Amino acid sequence: SIKEKMNGVSINGLLSKIEGDCSGLVINGIGNITKGKTQGVSLSGYINLHFDSSKGIQIAGLSNFNVGNTSGVQFSGIHNFSAGDLLGIQLSGGMNISASHVSGLQLSGLFNVSLENMQGVQLSIGNYARTIYGTQIGIFNAVGRAAKGVQIGLINYAYEESSLKIGLINVSKETHLQTLIYSSNSSFINFAARFSNKHYYNQIGVGFPSFLSPNTFSGTLNYRVGYSIPIHSLKINSDLGFSHISLRDK
């Protein structure tokens, strides 16, 4: 169906197109296209496409796509997109993308993207924001510029070193990569990579053969987190870590 404006409730089996503003509840089996401002609830089996600002709740089986600002909730099976500012929540089984500022929550199954400032929380396998004032939780977290908040993941990257990073590898523009070769009380020779920031560092390494086994093919896998205190041209390091020892006796 095609309407100039909509106020109230509109239920359609397939597709609806609203040329002007929409206020109320719109339910469609396939999709909803609104060229004017939207306020209320849009429910579609596949896609909601809004060309102006949207306030309220959008629920789609496939995708929600907003050209204007978004205020409220976007919930979809695959993809949510907001070209304008986002104030609220994006929930998706696949990905959430905002081309402008975000204030709220992005939660998805694959990755979240905020191309401008992110104020709030990003939770997914992968998260990216140009700047963030809040929290990123995922396997891989990245911030293109300033990060003020917390990054929790296996790999955390922020161009400017100004956030708390909790992860296996933490990197910024100030990070120095050091390669180490040394002997220890667990294995004869060890090779390691150390990611050193201003005071903290992460270190990943392997060693072989293990002194705990006479077998040549035994080895160790090491990970350490440490704190470095610079004293003139020297550094005093203290760290904690663990080692996985593979004996391979047979």
Side-chain angles (χ1 to χ4, degrees), residues 24-26 44 52 70 79 82 84 88 160-161 166-167 171 193 198 219 239:
L25 172 63
V26 179
S44 297
D52 207 323
T70 302
H79 171 258
S82 177
E160 297 181 5
E161 182 60 54
I166 302 173
V171 181
K198 186 175 182 180
D239 56 43

Side-chain angles (χ1 to χ4, degrees), residues 74 80-82 86 88-92 96-97 105-107:
Q74 286 185 317
N80 291 313
F81 176 82
S82 177
L86 171 66
I89 300 173
Q90 286 182 321
L91 303 173
S92 176
N96 296 311
I97 299 175
L105 169 67
Q106 287 183 313
L107 172 62

Side-chain angles (χ1 to χ4, degrees), residues 122-135:
Q122 288 182 316
L123 177 59
S124 187
I125 293 175
N127 299 298
Y128 172 81
R130 187 175 186 272
T131 62
I132 188 167
Y133 297 85
T135 304

Side-chain angles (χ1 to χ4, degrees), residues 100-213:
S100 191
H101 302 283
V102 177
S103 296
L105 169 67
Q106 287 183 313
L107 172 62
S108 70
L110 294 178
F111 63 85
N112 299 310
V113 176
S114 176
L115 297 180
E116 294 294 339
N117 180 42
M118 171 71 191
Q119 292 181 308
V121 178
Q122 288 182 316
L123 177 59
S124 187
I125 293 175
N127 299 298
Y128 172 81
R130 187 175 186 272
T131 62
I132 188 167
Y133 297 85
T135 304
Q136 288 181 320
I137 302 174
I139 294 177
F140 176 76
N141 301 308
V143 178
R145 302 300 298 178
K148 294 185 178 180
V150 181
Q151 290 179 304
I152 302 174
L154 293 181
I155 301 175
N156 300 308
Y157 170 81
Y159 180 77
E160 297 181 5
E161 182 60 54
S162 56
S163 64
L164 173 62
K165 298 180 178 65
I166 302 173
L168 187 68
I169 298 175
N170 302 308
V171 181
S172 73
K173 70 173 182 178
E174 300 176 0
T175 301
H176 299 284
L177 176 61
Q178 300 171 300
T179 56
L180 307 175
I181 301 176
Y182 61 95
S183 183
S184 69
N185 59 358
S186 61
S187 54
F188 178 71
I189 187 168
N190 298 269
F191 300 91
R194 177 179 291 178
F195 300 86
S196 299
N197 296 291
K198 186 175 182 180
H199 292 293
Y200 296 93
Y201 64 86
N202 306 89
Q203 181 175 311
I204 300 175
V206 294
F208 62 91
S210 172
F211 289 139
L212 300 177
S213 173

